[in-house]
Amino acid sequence: MTAPATASATLTPRRWILDLGATALLVATSMVGFWPTFAGPSFLPAVIGGILLGLAIAAVATWRRWGILIVAGLTVAAYFVFGAAFALPQTAILGFIPTLETLQKLALGTVTAWKQMLTTVAPVAAADGHLIVPFLLALVVTALTASLALRLSQVAWALLPAGVLLMLVIALGTPEPAFPLVQGLVFAVVSMSWLALRQLWAPQNMAVSVSEVDPSRAAHMRTRRLLAGVAVLAVAGGAGVATAAVATPAQPRHVFRDVIIPPFDIRDYPSPLQAFRKNVRDEAEETLFTVQGLPKGARIRTAVMDQFDGMVYNVTDGGPTSSSAFAPLRSNMAPEAEGVPVTLKFEIDEYRGVWMPTAGELSEIRFDGDRAEDLRRGTFVNTVTGTAVATPKLTAGDEYAVDAVMPSEPDDEQLAEVAFGKVSMPKPSNVPEELTSLAAETVAGAETPIEQVRALETFLSEGGFFSHGLEGEVLSRAGHTAERISTLVGADQMIGDDEQYAVAMALLAGQLDIPARVVMGYYPDDEQAGEAVFTATGDNVHAWVEVNFEGVGWMTFNPTPPEDQVPNDQNTKPRVDPKPQVLQPPPPPQEPVDLPPTLPDDRESEDESLNLAGIIGAILLIGGISLAVIAVLASPFIVIGAWKAAKRRSRRAAARTSDRISGGWDELTDRAVDYGARLAPGGTRIEEAAVVASALTVPQVTALAERADSEVFGPAEPSPQDVESFWHEVDEIVGGLGKEAGFWKRVKARLSVRSLVGGTAVSNGLQNLKEAAAARVRREPGTIKNSTTTSSSESETP
């Protein structure tokens, strides 16, 4: 007996290899665009796994002639089964057995992973769950592309999802392209070669007929055409590379990441330097937090400030070189940091606020405790300054570990020939005029950059006196406004603490175009240095200055005089009836005429962006809900269509060819029933054909019924060619039914279940009930019509 024909039987081995191989190359070429996003090849295992699974699903489904619903189901199953190994190995048992957490993250990741990757500053870490995006894209697009290529005669349809993937990877990536020339050239060459080979291997499209030309000559001509095509592609590729080398676009490409605004504004939080004197006065004996593992000489920082406006030294809201470049928490934040790696464990006691104590160049922050998840979601890190902000605010009981790298600090001899770093710093405003001349006089004898910075540091630390202005100390007003700094450097004696001296040195350095910033934090005194656990109190709070040197980074300088360097009675007038400490108002602008009449408010543009983002989010939410509702409403119709398709496949793939002929006729009558024909059960094909021909005006079904009887009851089994021809006629007649009917009638026929329930136990039961009810009505006395009907029925009884 002849084996049943399948779709895969028409595919030669070279077609399988060509279609699957080209699909894998195109998808891999597109996915390479994620290289800058992950800063390396860490995403490649997820991509390779997705490609292999997609190819396997497409090949098996084509071989078994499974429909789109089964392919979709297999893709979803592969995503959840193999997602643990390729996307979330850190949550799986032994790295590949999915856990409840793995399945939950995979399910949520189909919706949230895209946003998380776009709102995380690149490079993103594979350990943070970002591998879901490349794995899901590779799996779905590979399965779709390979399925279209294997099932359709026109391979151009298969290039559509591959092209969409290429554009999607670019949009989800970074402005810096990965390998643009190589990607474009490989994608173009593979696509054109694929199209050419499929056209060449299609017998009906060959320019040379094998039956008319000598086989050896035909093979020679095909080879020559193939080599000519390869030469054309090579020349075109070379020309494209040469053109791109001299015509590189001046503007960077724009991606989704450029318009996504993280929900965080550093300007919502005041500068911690404003509370410096309060920390010294009210928390001197309070245990704020403890740190384990702090190396000797290291410092804990809470904030870095680099913009002065005459009132306060604050965190800026500028570009990536400023201290406002905060991004959501992620892993491996300092992949290129050099120095000694350390792990610090922080336990919060009386410390309160959003500015997190950290140290060194941050690599990773891990929270512990009841609020670990809230803190992780609400923490933003600035890798340029090594500072972090926890928007839920730190409170007693919070614990976290910091993986950081402590860079080494060279001495002055090593910095003797080093220039200042080319770092873009915000320009300070309302700086006291006397600082310009004072800075120039202070560094007049300095020859090298490091000597200039040391001169500023020495001028303040050795020429000034220390005082917090607390009870029993010399008067020293709090604050660091332009008036306070002007008073500090213009008085007979400079008196202040870290707050004033750090700001004064940073402003003096700014007048000389030296890149300097103010840092606030904590570090142990000489008695606490070297202890296993550093207990930070308000007495340990400090402010210092960092200056950037080219190729070295930010170096620490201490302009504050020692705490024992206080004014004596001979140099300071006694305070008689001291007045309360009052913060003086800032001086008026010196040259208001030079100021622009109005300045645009950056908040307005940002609010517009946020409003736009909110509108887009609302549209997407409404669209998602609408799609869900549509899916629920359409689910019965999908089930009906899938049921009919399954019946058709089983009929056409029956074991005996004669059963396939019978199945073809059953398919025709089912569609006729859906269009309104009423066939009596148990009728012959000729009788059914007569009903269909009269009800739907398709006279050709009579000849088809006779042919079906001859094929089924003939002396020999019909051949596969006979089956294909018979089904072809069936499809033409069914298609004609739809053409003759109107739109709504076609929709009603497709959604009809009459052909599905006809002949079943349910339909037979309903018919029996209907006949019993009719008989009972005939037996009931009443109208003449009933009695007449009863008499006539009795007279007809044999």
Side-chain angles (χ1 to χ4, degrees), residues 436-525:
T436 303
S437 57
L438 179 60
E441 294 172 2
T442 304
V443 301
E447 298 180 356
T448 63
I450 183 61
E451 290 179 354
Q452 293 180 8
V453 181
R454 290 299 182 193
L456 297 176
E457 179 187 40
T458 303
F459 166 73
L460 296 171
S461 62
E462 296 183 1
F465 296 94
F466 183 89
S467 175
H468 285 310
L470 304 180
E471 184 179 357
E473 297 181 355
V474 176
L475 176 64
S476 172
R477 288 189 292 115
H480 55 275
T481 64
E483 182 273 334
R484 179 66 179 92
I485 302 303
S486 179
T487 303
L488 174 73
V489 300
D492 294 336
Q493 290 181 332
M494 293 186 294
I495 303 175
D497 56 11
D498 301 57
E499 179 184 5
Q500 291 81 42
Y501 285 108
V503 172
M505 180 176 174
L507 293 178
L508 288 169
Q511 301 307 299
L512 302 172
D513 293 330
I514 297 175
R517 63 193 189 188
V518 178
V519 184
M520 181 175 170
Y522 301 80
Y523 56 81
D525 54 26

Side-chain angles (χ1 to χ4, degrees), residues 518-575:
V518 178
V519 184
M520 181 175 170
Y522 301 80
Y523 56 81
D525 54 26
D526 295 337
E527 297 179 357
Q528 295 174 303
E531 293 183 359
V533 179
F534 167 45
T535 301
T537 65
D539 193 45
N540 300 119
V541 65
H542 294 281
W544 59 92
V545 175
E546 290 183 346
V547 176
N548 189 273
F549 289 87
E550 187 175 2
V552 177
W554 295 93
M555 303 296 298
T556 301
F557 296 90
N558 302 293
T560 305
E563 293 188 8
D564 57 358
Q565 188 170 311
V566 296
N568 53 42
D569 294 337
Q570 297 177 355
N571 297 326
T572 305
K573 296 180 181 180
R575 290 186 291 169

